[in-house]
Amino acid sequence: MAKRTDPSRFFYQPIIAVLSLTSLVLTVYVVWLSLRDLSLMRAGRDTFVGIDNYIRFFNDPRGLWALWRTVLFTVLATSIEVVLGLAIVLFLDRNFALKRLVRTLLLVPIIMTPVVVGLTWRFIFDPASGMANYLLSRLGFDAMDWLGSPQVALYSVLIADIWQWTPFVILLSMAALDSAPSDPLDAARVDGAREWQVTWYVLLPMLRRAIAIVALIRAIDSIKAFDLFYIMTRGGPALSTETLNFYGYVVAFTNFEISYSLTVALILTIFTNVALLAMYGVLFPKNGEPR
Amino acid sequence: MAQLSIRDVRKSYGSVAVLNDISIEVEEGAFVVLLGPSGCGKSTLLHAIAGLHEIGSGSIVIGGRDVTDLPARERDVAMVFQSYALYPTMSVRENIGFPLKMRGLDKKAISESVDRVAAILQIEPLLERRPRELSGGQRQRVAIGRALVRDPKLFLFDEPLSNLDAALRGDLRAEIKRLHQRIKRTMVYVTHDQIEAMTLATKIVILNRGVVQQIGTPQEIYFNPANLFVARFIGSPPITLLEGKTANRNGELLFKLSNSDVELSMPQSTNLAGDETETILGLRPENIQIVREGNASLSATVDLVEPTGPEDIVTLNVQGAPSVIRTAAGMTTQGSSVGLELDLGKALLFESGSGTRLS
Ligand SMILES: Nc1ncnc2c1ncn2[C@@H]1O[C@H](COP(=O)(O)OP(=O)(O)O)[C@@H](O)[C@H]1O
Ligand SMILES: [Mg+2]
């Protein structure tokens, strides 16, 4: 029925036009700036430099390391949160007594502001008085410098991120599980499947789409993660937790190199899109269900 | 030896008893239909047989083996669900092959069995499709195929036709009957549709509120109902029920119709009911004939005439009680007054309060 004469197009077409125009203009402007050498230290004296900024990035070890950390953090955070969240959902009974209460409690980390989450975890990871080291000592391990050691700090932020965002995975998976039909699971049991086979062959494939969307959301969020890094480590120690997003911020607001910072942001955007499109292609193939 | 024995099975959800002391014996090769109104516990019983939920007490024996405490996968039954319960992410081929895959058969053997079953059910062209690309009737066949593929001790069907339109239902009903005659396996079939029950069953179990009302062949259930519930539930058009009191006069049993002075002389034995017992008299439609008013034992008015072609379905008002019968087409007109001839030898008498059968 969506003919060209459909008058509702007068409502949506202007909105689409304005939105497209804004993104287009902004993108073009950013690309244009990334081809110059605009810096707040030399205001008004910027010149056209072509792709020098891009060449600079691929010869900038600090930038490449930041990119690598972003990849590492995104892959680890997304996969651990999705697997852990799913495992928790599957191990919890489908209908347990305190389900509503648990659901409400799960919301707490999600709605907590990053400042509170970050500060809380900084206290927990405090080498002298933190709970993490207390726990380690009770278990008979040596104390760790959670946020002070370059080898450990990224993983400490990861732990905080997992704590904050696994409940999100749990919440969405629970909803997907509740709306999935239960008869096929019973059918599989009658057909001779053990419980793990019911989960593996029937339940998880049914939840596949929901899981894919959760993973996608978590991946996008992890790539852009900034708040926890800013509050917990500010990229340190020794740049060991500096992600690409954070590096872009440093370049812009510490070094005032606006053009180079925008270049970093553009590279992050391109990288994100390529990664997500690839992920999307794997999870939602065009013809039918994935194998 | 019975293929399936259900012994004193009880089940409650909280304080609500859903199954109450159910005992059923099913012989090898029988086609047993569990028939009852919605919510009477049919699915619950079937799920209990399949092992999908625990029972409160009692035992279930399949093929001579007590399976009461065994999980579903060790019971060797196959089940066709009301919702078909196909695996949505698998192709038809994978759906049908799944039970064999779970039994560890190799790919070649699975593929051959799937092809054999697909040929029986004529679904070969559908094998590579997904369930959501199938019509209701096709899904139903796939569900049956998944049950057929592995030759279980027992087949369970939970209202497999209730989601289909009337024409398809008739076709598939006939197909299931042919299938049973061909493979001669024990089947337990749940339905709330009495036509399905009467046409398919070798034995019908009537359930109401979790209690077995009667177990018998379709003929026994129809002609010899154990109580008022069964008499009412079975038969289309439904049985005509007249309220009244019995009386004993000179060794003759009289039935005095309520709200009128009509007295019917019953051929049944007088010692069935005491004097002045509140009784309900039941007559199947075929035992009520329309005759000229002068010769009639009873008069009635015609409330509604529904022509169906060769015959009319006529709703009568018999001294305030509704009665639906079949007549030759065009015999009556709405609003007219007619006489009735009752074949009282075939009448069924029930105690008014309890509904227990008297004769
Ligand atoms: N999980 C459950 N919890 C509580 N009551 C239930 C549950 N499942 C079924 N019942 C109740 O048990 C009764 C029998 O249900 P069911 O066996 O599905 O009936 P049928 O298949 O004959 O329509 C119904 O009254 C229903 O409300
Ligand atoms: Mg049911």
Side-chain angles (χ1 to χ4, degrees):
Chain A
M1 290 306 283
K3 295 214 184 93
R4 284 197 64 79
T5 51
D6 182 356
S8 69
R9 72 178 198 274
F10 293 118
F11 291 91
Y12 67 76
Q13 280 177 347
I15 298 172
I16 292 175
V18 169
L19 287 178
S20 326
L21 200 67
T22 351
S23 354
L24 191 72
V25 167
L26 276 177
T27 312
V28 169
Y29 186 53
V30 167
V31 170
W32 167 245
L33 285 180
S34 77
L35 299 175
R36 302 181 67 81
D37 63 349
L38 176 63
S39 166
L40 295 187
M41 308 296 280
R42 293 176 280 113
R45 284 186 281 131
D46 54 310
T47 54
F48 183 83
V49 296
I51 58 166
D52 277 7
N53 281 321
Y54 294 87
I55 294 169
R56 175 177 164 193
F57 178 80
F58 287 103
N59 291 308
D60 177 358
R62 186 170 167 182
L64 293 176
W65 272 110
L67 175 60
W68 161 243
R69 274 180 221 110
T70 295
V71 173
L72 188 69
F73 183 79
T74 301
V75 169
L76 287 179
T78 307
S79 47
I80 293 174
E81 281 160 22
V82 169
V83 170
L84 190 67
L86 266 180
I88 290 173
V89 168
L90 293 177
F91 277 110
L92 290 177
D93 199 10
R94 277 196 127 181
N95 284 304
F96 57 97
L98 299 175
K99 195 164 188 164
R100 285 176 63 107
L101 179 68
V102 169
R103 260 181 207 211
T104 315
L105 287 178
L106 284 173
L107 283 172
V108 173
I110 301 174
I111 55 181
M112 242 190 211
T113 69
V115 178
V116 175
V117 177
L119 285 179
T120 308
W121 280 96
R122 263 174 74 166
F123 287 132
I124 292 175
F125 284 142
D126 188 282
S129 61
M131 260 195 287
N133 274 345
Y134 175 72
L135 206 67
L136 282 188
S137 72
R138 291 305 298 256
L139 295 172
F141 293 102
D142 287 342
M144 291 223 284
D145 193 358
W146 293 93
L147 297 172
S149 153
Q151 282 80 43
V152 181
L154 187 69
Y155 302 99
S156 303
V157 180
L158 186 66
I159 289 172
D161 192 77
I162 290 169
W163 177 83
Q164 189 175 17
W165 291 109
T166 303
F168 173 79
V169 177
I170 295 177
L171 223 54
L172 262 72
S173 311
M174 258 184 170
L177 195 66
D178 280 350
S179 58
S182 63
D183 274 357
L185 310 183
D186 278 343
R189 291 182 185 113
V190 175
D191 281 346
R194 292 164 186 279
E195 282 310 305
W196 72 263
Q197 289 171 316
V198 174
T199 303
W200 182 253
Y201 289 113
V202 183
L203 182 57
L204 283 179
M206 286 200 304
L207 299 182
R208 173 173 207 134
R209 267 154 195 275
I211 298 168
I213 288 168
V214 175
L216 220 53
I217 297 175
R218 284 311 308 138
I220 294 171
D221 275 358
S222 312
I223 288 173
K224 297 188 302 185
F226 181 81
D227 37 24
L228 280 182
F229 288 98
Y230 186 78
I231 296 152
M232 288 178 73
T233 63
R234 303 224 172 184
L239 306 182
S240 67
T241 57
E242 189 174 80
T243 57
L244 197 52
N245 202 21
F246 200 89
Y247 182 52
Y249 164 82
V250 171
V251 172
F253 294 99
T254 311
N255 309 350
F256 301 119
E257 293 180 274
I258 301 302
S259 282
Y260 188 48
S261 159
L262 290 174
T263 308
V264 170
L266 271 178
I267 288 170
L268 183 63
T269 309
I270 293 166
F271 158 73
T272 308
N273 280 323
V274 170
L276 293 185
L277 281 179
M279 196 164 154
Y280 198 84
V282 171
L283 295 169
F284 301 102
K286 273 214 176 64
N287 34 4
E289 290 283 328
R291 303 266 34 221
Chain B
M1 187 189 68
Q3 181 68 3
L4 167 67
S5 304
I6 299 167
R7 293 174 192 156
D8 306 320
V9 165
R10 282 165 182 270
K11 161 107 190 156
S12 354
Y13 286 115
S15 61
V16 187
V18 179
L19 299 177
N20 236 321
D21 268 332
I22 305 268
S23 295
I24 303 169
E25 296 285 309
V26 178
E27 306 76 34
E28 171 105 52
F31 196 119
V32 176
V33 172
L34 301 179
L35 178 63
S38 278
C40 71
K42 307 180 297 287
S43 296
T44 307
L45 181 56
L46 210 65
H47 282 69
I49 298 173
L52 291 171
H53 47 55
E54 291 171 358
I55 51 177
S57 65
S59 63
I60 295 172
V61 179
I62 297 175
R65 189 168 60 128
D66 189 331
V67 299
T68 314
D69 297 321
L70 292 183
R73 80 187 136 84
E74 288 172 32
R75 294 195 179 191
D76 198 17
V77 302
M79 182 152 167
V80 177
F81 289 73
Q82 182 166 5
S83 61
Y84 311 139
L86 299 180
Y87 308 127
T89 53
M90 299 184 203
S91 68
V92 169
R93 176 178 287 285
E94 290 166 316
N95 261 281
I96 298 178
F98 188 76
L100 301 181
K101 185 170 165 186
M102 290 302 106
R103 275 165 184 70
L105 267 70
D106 64 67
K107 284 212 169 72
K108 189 157 164 288
I110 294 177
S111 177
E112 281 165 9
S113 301
V114 172
D115 288 337
R116 175 180 56 82
V117 168
I120 296 175
L121 296 169
Q122 297 169 357
I123 49 175
E124 291 117 316
L126 310 176
L127 282 177
E128 305 312 323
R129 293 204 200 164
R130 310 253 161 207
R132 66 162 178 272
E133 297 159 349
L134 302 177
S135 70
Q138 290 168 335
R139 283 179 205 188
Q140 207 263 355
R141 272 168 221 242
V142 175
I144 292 181
R146 194 171 63 184
L148 274 185
V149 76
R150 66 188 168 93
D151 198 25
K153 289 205 185 69
L154 193 63
F155 283 95
L156 306 175
F157 293 88
D158 191 357
E159 308 210 26
L161 305 182
S162 62
N163 292 334
L164 304 175
D165 61 65
L168 198 56
R169 201 149 59 208
D171 289 352
L172 286 172
R173 196 171 68 210
E175 238 170 81
I176 290 177
K177 181 154 190 155
R178 254 182 251 121
L179 188 72
H180 175 248
Q181 286 165 352
R182 180 159 144 198
I183 64 174
K184 298 193 175 57
R185 279 298 129 79
T186 316
M187 298 187 173
V188 179
Y189 185 105
V190 161
T191 182
H192 65 264
D193 181 320
Q194 53 161 309
I195 310 284
E196 263 172 49
M198 299 299 269
T199 50
L200 289 171
T202 58
K203 183 163 162 177
I204 295 180
V205 177
I206 307 246
L207 277 179
N208 187 33
R209 295 170 188 229
V211 179
V212 173
Q213 304 291 319
Q214 187 172 5
I215 302 181
T217 64
Q219 283 68 34
E220 282 164 2
I221 299 271
Y222 184 81
F223 292 111
N224 207 0
N227 57 36
L228 197 56
F229 174 82
V230 177
R232 261 208 199 111
F233 194 70
I234 296 289
S236 171
I239 193 166
T240 297
L241 298 171
L242 303 174
E243 287 177 30
K245 284 188 176 130
T246 47
N248 198 339
R249 188 181 301 152
N250 310 329
E252 187 190 18
L253 184 68
L254 288 182
F255 181 81
K256 295 197 271 188
L257 208 59
S258 302
N259 312 323
S260 81
D261 46 13
V262 176
E263 287 187 351
L264 301 171
S265 161
M266 307 294 293
Q268 280 88 348
S269 146
T270 47
N271 44 26
L272 270 176
D275 237 8
E276 301 291 306
T277 313
E278 296 274 356
T279 307
I280 292 175
L281 182 150
L283 271 173
R284 292 290 180 195
E286 58 271 22
N287 299 325
I288 301 175
Q289 305 295 331
I290 290 185
V291 293
R292 271 198 292 127
E293 260 188 285
N295 314 353
S297 48
L298 204 56
S299 69
T301 52
V302 178
D303 263 357
L304 186 67
V305 180
E306 296 167 276
T308 63
E311 54 185 22
D312 293 346
I313 295 180
V314 179
T315 306
L316 303 166
N317 181 333
V318 185
Q319 318 288 334
S323 164
V324 186
I325 62 169
R326 292 201 192 87
T327 67
M331 235 181 108
T332 53
T333 51
Q334 200 162 321
S336 65
S337 183
V338 294
L340 298 181
E341 180 65 52
L342 310 178
D343 186 354
L344 291 173
K346 301 257 174 64
L348 309 167
L349 291 176
F350 303 95
E351 206 172 79
S352 207
S354 64
T356 325
R357 176 87 179 275
L358 294 172
S359 69

